[in-house]
Amino acid sequence: MLRSTLKSLLARKLRLVLSGIAVVLGVMSVSGSFVLTDTLSRSFDALFSDVYSTTDVGVLAKPKVSVATVDGVEVPGTIPAAILDKVRSVPGVATATGRVAGDGARVIGADGKVLASVGTPRLGINWVGEDDLVKLTAGRGPNADGEVAVNAAVAKAAKLNVGDQVGVLTLSPKQQFTVVGVFGYSGDRDSLGGVQEVAFTEPVAQKLMLGQSGLYSEIRVAAADGTTPAQLRDGVAAAVGADYSVLTGDQLSEEAAGDLQTGLAFFNSILLGFAAVALFVGIFLILNTFSIIVAQRTRELALMRALGANRRQLIGSVLIEALVIGFVAAVVGLILGVGVGAALASAFSAFSGGLELAGVGVPPSAVISALVVGVLVTMIAAVLPALRASRIPPVAAMQDVANPDRPLTRITIAGGVVTALGVILLGMGLVAATGDSVLPTIMGGVLVTFIGIAMLTPLISKPVVSVLGRIFAWSLPGRLGRLNAGRNPRRTAITAAALMVGIALVTGVTVTIESTKSSLAGKAEDTVRAQLVISGDQNPSWPPSFDASVLDRAAALPGVRGAAGLSYDLAEVNGERRPVNAATDLARLADVYGAVPAAGTLTTLGADQAVMSAQEAADRGVSVGQTVSVQLSRGPVHQYTLVGTYEEDTLPAAYVLPAAASADFGNPQPIYGFIRLTDGVPVAQVLPQVQALLADSPEVSAADRSVFIEQQTSGFDQIIMMIQLLLALAILIAVLGVVNTLALSMLERTRELGLLRAVGLSRAQTMRMVTVEAVVISVFGALLGVVVGALLGTAVVQALDGEGITELVLPWGQMITYLLVAGLVGVVAAVLPAIRTARLNVLGAISHD
């Protein structure tokens, strides 16, 4: 039986290729994700090993607020100069150097714009001279307050040479410096991992990057001869006390790289999630493929039964075929995944500005996942066809038609039950679930719902396909294509269901995001009184900011009623990490923006007073008159008394602290400015004057309210595009499913096609018939996906009504586009099967068995 199965498999190589292609693509995406993250992980390990290559021991201060890599920039803790003196006095210390390094030194290029960053730090440091890692390539290090040196990456991007003037934004507004040096790194590198670095003198670096003189962010220590790093670490730790973290150079490297592992793990989880969707779609393709294969082998399998093969052997025969296909596809997918992972790593390196990649490797996780996933998915998809094969009676060997249509009653009932279960799970996730259970419950509900709908699809495929096919019924090939698309509801349903999943997910997400955009925009239009808003692109990890004096000068302009701004920080409020804001003047902000008090008053805040949204206060169990403990990025813990609350969304912040609090923020400068005009004053009269005030703040701009609202919601469009790109693989597999179904179906109907040709159907008509069949199936799948996605999106929007998402928006333009693209997909999918069918030898096809 084993030899028979393997011979049958090898005799039909086209079937082998078509069966395994979905598994290849799915495994490729899974293994590629692991290869990519492994390569990046080892690259960052090597990078930080270089950074600390000249350090035996490092002393770090614990940050006031710990921030995960994916959440933004962590403001480093600071070390007083007195600690540096203590370290220098420890036995075994050869040298101890105080280092200043803070993110947020933004260089203004020759075009007047801030140099772009793709998430890599933009460090402001103190110049400590050359060493084995850092080498000057031009000029010298800075030794006066108005001088800087920049790394070669910054010099090239900003087109800077020694002697040029350059503007730099830091914790302070724009300042001009003279470039006196350009430095690079060992190995002829312009940067370390794409990091932009600007080196100031020590006092300037301390003031601009740490906000205070006499502080360091790190102390790096070199051991004297005869002292090991471990011995030196222990001695330094005893001297500085428990308030500081003392690590060897190797430990520093591991810790720095470990901080990035969280971000890489999150990134990998996203990629694997979309790979799982692709594999889920692939199951439909493989299930359909094996169903067709079993149908094509009916007489062969029946003969085996007649010759004595039992049901277990037939099941084993189909599963062995699936095992072979899965294994071969997994190996091919792994090889392609390594290539894809390497290509993506190279793209990341180029995009990030020059991360030096470690050699591309194949981690065990990629190999294990490729083999397990590839084989497991194929075996799961082959189970039902295998069971069906075992039920073939021996008498079928003597019949021309061995697979009559089976009633849809049982699968319809089962589909209804599964769909109901999925809807219940989805509802629980959207309404009842809390904490960490929310996402798994929702995802489980979506998965089960898709399976249930796929089981119900055969019931509706025949009537819907018949209606869709009437568009092409004006010609004989069109009528034949329509009839062929509806002749096997189960097969058509499975093929369409694969396309349905991808399009339903895209449509559902689009409905949810477009509804969110519309709801937020509508609220902003109704709430925001300010006609002009100063802001920048808030996507970077370090929010763009501007000089607070701009607001005072704007308030003095003719026609301006008032101006107020907000600064931003990540803080720990009563022990929980929360975003907080500080208002330049709360009373003015309430008037300018439109805050509506819920309790207490919204007057100018005292140094120990704060307000928060009513919803946030309720969630945290805080009421007016009580105090909250706030640890900002700098300074000691503050105790603020809650003196008022405001209606949700009537201020763009959940917590508002007094203006004085911004001194302890990661960046004390405002990131938003709101300007309200005197009644009757046109925006065009004041806007150019405000824009002129921002000449030294190139990261931000002034715009009217409608432009600001559009900017704030534009990020949602990027999310939709990203999801569409990530789901493209699943949709590609679904398209291949149409090709696969047609190709195998044409093989199954070889004799029928020969007869059609014999009675007068021309080659062109045959190709049109196949094309109509593909288009109808594709459009049916897309239509199903659009409807299901719209329903899922509507359910999510309704569930979020309490969160302020009150408007339901159905993106009709995009949904119609999906249907039109599906028609084009059908045409493309039909090309190869149609050409092969048109080339059939008529006499050979008629005699085909």
Side-chain angles (χ1 to χ4, degrees):
M1 196 70 185
L2 176 61
R3 288 196 299 271
S4 174
T5 301
L6 294 177
K7 283 185 177 181
S8 173
L9 183 63
L10 294 175
R12 298 172 174 85
K13 296 181 179 61
L14 176 61
R15 189 175 75 192
L16 173 65
V17 172
L18 294 176
S19 303
I21 195 167
V23 183
V24 168
L25 292 175
V27 169
M28 178 187 74
S29 59
V30 173
S31 57
S33 300
F34 283 114
V35 169
L36 170 63
T37 51
D38 174 75
T39 302
L40 293 181
S41 177
R42 289 184 293 105
S43 300
F44 283 117
D45 287 345
L47 170 65
F48 289 115
S49 179
D50 281 348
V51 170
Y52 292 104
S53 60
T54 60
T55 302
D56 290 317
V57 169
V59 181
L60 302 173
K62 298 173 183 177
K64 300 288 186 179
V65 178
S66 297
V67 179
T69 305
V70 295
D71 292 335
V73 175
E74 183 176 83
V75 177
T78 55
I79 305 172
I83 299 297
L84 177 60
D85 294 334
K86 282 187 178 183
V87 172
R88 285 172 173 163
S89 66
V90 173
V93 171
T95 61
T97 306
R99 299 284 186 123
V100 176
D103 199 352
R106 292 96 71 201
V107 173
I108 300 173
D111 58 358
K113 298 180 180 179
V114 172
L115 294 189
S117 169
V118 291
T120 52
R122 293 178 284 191
L123 297 180
I125 64 174
N126 62 324
W127 178 255
V128 295
E130 296 179 277
D131 55 27
D132 291 341
L133 177 65
V134 177
K135 300 291 183 182
L136 282 166
T137 58
R140 58 175 175 82
N143 52 34
D145 288 353
E147 297 177 345
V148 294
V150 297
N151 70 4
V154 171
K156 289 180 180 179
K159 299 179 181 179
L160 295 174
N161 296 302
V162 173
D164 289 347
Q165 294 292 303
V166 62
V168 183
L169 302 171
T170 57
L171 298 183
S172 299
K174 174 184 172 182
Q175 295 187 29
Q176 289 291 131
F177 296 90
T178 301
V179 178
V180 296
V182 177
F183 58 92
Y185 308 87
S186 60
D188 198 27
R189 290 172 289 179
D190 292 339
S191 72
L192 293 176
V195 174
Q196 301 175 16
E197 287 189 287
V198 181
F200 307 94
T201 60
E202 185 172 289
V204 172
Q206 290 171 332
K207 179 182 177 182
L208 296 184
M209 304 314 302
L210 302 182
Q212 186 178 339
S213 299
L215 297 177
Y216 300 98
S217 55
E218 182 183 10
I219 298 174
R220 296 190 186 181
V221 186
D225 293 340
T227 303
T228 67
Q231 291 171 336
L232 184 60
R233 176 197 60 199
D234 295 340
V236 171
V240 301
D243 291 337
Y244 301 94
S245 177
V246 182
L247 304 171
T248 65
D250 290 340
Q251 290 173 325
L252 287 169
S253 177
E254 291 174 7
E255 185 177 87
D259 290 340
L260 282 170
Q261 300 306 317
T262 302
L264 288 176
F266 177 74
F267 179 57
N268 194 41
S269 297
I270 292 176
L271 293 178
L272 290 176
F274 285 98
V277 173
L279 285 167
F280 179 63
V281 172
I283 288 177
F284 289 100
L285 172 53
I286 301 164
L287 177 62
N288 214 17
T289 300
F290 276 93
S291 296
I292 298 173
I293 289 171
V294 169
Q296 291 176 352
R297 296 177 59 193
T298 297
R299 294 189 68 182
E300 174 189 333
L301 295 171
L303 280 171
M304 290 183 181
R305 288 295 309 277
L307 293 173
N310 57 36
R311 293 184 62 181
R312 182 180 300 176
Q313 288 176 310
L314 287 187
I315 293 174
S317 175
V318 176
L319 292 182
I320 288 172
E321 186 167 341
L323 176 64
V324 173
I325 291 172
F327 180 79
V328 172
V331 172
V332 175
L334 175 61
I335 295 171
L336 293 177
V338 172
V340 169
L344 290 175
S346 298
F348 180 89
S349 174
F351 188 64
S352 66
L355 174 65
E356 187 172 348
L357 293 177
V360 175
V362 184
S365 56
V367 178
I368 294 171
S369 64
L371 295 176
V372 172
V373 169
V375 174
L376 187 62
V377 166
T378 312
M379 297 289 282
I380 289 173
V383 167
L384 287 178
L387 293 174
R388 194 174 305 137
S390 71
R391 298 191 186 106
I392 295 174
V395 72
M398 298 177 287
Q399 297 178 346
D400 288 330
V401 180
N403 284 288
D405 286 342
R406 290 168 289 141
L408 300 176
T409 306
R410 283 195 290 182
I411 193 172
T412 300
I413 294 173
V417 172
V418 173
T419 302
L421 178 61
V423 171
I424 292 171
L425 281 173
L426 188 61
M428 290 173 59
L430 293 171
V431 179
T434 58
D436 294 338
S437 64
V438 174
L439 186 59
T441 306
I442 290 176
M443 295 305 296
V446 170
L447 176 64
V448 175
T449 300
F450 279 149
I451 294 173
I453 292 172
M455 295 172 70
L456 290 173
T457 306
L459 181 67
I460 62 173
S461 66
K462 198 162 188 175
V464 175
V465 165
S466 178
V467 171
L468 290 175
R470 292 189 183 280
I471 299 173
F472 308 97
W474 49 268
S475 67
L476 176 62
R479 289 196 296 274
L480 289 173
R482 174 175 69 88
L483 293 173
N484 286 333
R487 69 194 295 181
N488 193 324
R490 293 173 186 267
R491 184 178 301 173
T492 299
I494 295 174
T495 306
L499 190 58
M500 175 266 291
V501 172
I503 291 181
L505 287 173
V506 172
T507 303
V509 170
T510 304
V511 169
T512 303
I513 291 179
E514 291 291 348
S515 299
T516 302
K517 280 178 57 179
S518 180
S519 299
L520 294 179
K523 278 185 181 177
E525 287 287 355
D526 296 338
T527 302
V528 182
R529 295 193 189 119
Q531 289 91 348
L532 294 176
V533 181
I534 300 172
S535 68
D537 182 3
Q538 299 300 314
N539 289 326
S541 54
W542 191 273
S545 58
F546 59 95
D547 187 352
S549 66
V550 168
L551 295 171
D552 294 330
R553 286 180 281 161
L557 293 173
V560 174
R561 170 171 169 166
L566 282 174
S567 304
Y568 166 85
D569 196 27
L570 270 175
E572 287 186 359
V573 181
N574 287 344
E576 295 185 41
R577 190 168 64 241
R578 307 291 295 169
V580 299
N581 296 84
T584 54
D585 187 311
L586 178 61
R588 187 179 298 174
L589 179 66
D591 175 65
V592 168
Y593 192 87
V596 177
T601 58
L602 301 181
T603 60
T604 300
L605 294 173
D608 60 350
Q609 295 178 330
V611 295
M612 65 176 68
S613 71
Q615 182 64 51
E616 189 73 16
D619 291 344
R620 306 299 160 198
V622 182
S623 57
V624 173
Q626 293 183 325
T627 61
V628 291
S629 174
V630 180
Q631 174 61 71
L632 299 169
S633 292
R634 296 187 171 91
V637 175
H638 299 261
Q639 299 295 328
Y640 292 101
T641 301
L642 186 65
V643 297
T645 60
Y646 46 88
E647 295 293 341
E648 192 76 9
D649 298 324
T650 60
L651 276 182
Y655 296 85
V656 180
L657 306 180
S662 64
D664 286 336
F665 279 17
N667 183 355
Q669 299 178 91
I671 63 170
Y672 287 122
F674 303 98
I675 301 171
R676 186 176 179 184
L677 307 182
T678 305
D679 293 343
V681 175
V683 169
Q685 174 182 319
V686 181
L687 179 57
Q689 300 176 69
V690 177
Q691 290 172 332
L693 296 176
L694 296 170
D696 288 337
S697 302
E699 288 183 302
V700 299
S701 61
D704 64 52
R705 178 175 55 196
S706 60
V707 173
F708 166 72
I709 293 172
E710 184 178 340
Q711 288 174 343
Q712 298 309 297
T713 57
S714 63
F716 291 115
D717 296 326
Q718 297 174 8
I719 294 174
I720 293 175
M721 182 177 297
M722 181 187 73
I723 290 174
Q724 288 174 333
L725 289 173
L726 290 173
L727 285 174
L729 180 61
I731 295 175
L732 173 61
I733 292 176
V735 172
L736 292 172
V738 179
V739 177
N740 198 18
T741 299
L742 285 176
L744 291 172
S745 182
M746 294 306 109
L747 289 174
E748 185 182 42
R749 287 157 33 197
T750 299
R751 188 177 183 187
E752 172 189 321
L753 293 169
L755 289 171
L756 287 173
R757 291 292 311 282
V759 298
L761 196 69
S762 67
R763 288 187 173 184
Q765 288 176 318
T766 303
M767 294 178 70
R768 288 203 300 273
M769 177 187 72
V770 176
T771 302
V772 168
E773 184 175 348
V775 169
V776 169
I777 293 174
S778 297
V779 173
F780 172 54
L783 180 63
L784 194 62
V786 165
V787 172
V788 172
L791 292 175
L792 288 174
T794 301
V796 172
V797 171
Q798 294 299 319
L800 294 175
D801 182 71
E803 303 296 326
I805 311 304
T806 56
E807 296 186 26
L808 175 64
V809 176
L810 295 177
W812 294 107
Q814 291 190 48
M815 293 192 293
I816 292 172
T817 300
Y818 295 151
L819 295 177
L820 294 176
V821 170
L824 179 61
V825 162
V827 172
V828 173
V831 170
L832 293 178
I835 292 174
R836 186 183 185 281
T837 302
R839 291 176 176 173
L840 281 175
N841 181 284
V842 176
L843 293 179
I846 292 174
S847 61
H848 180 78
D849 188 2

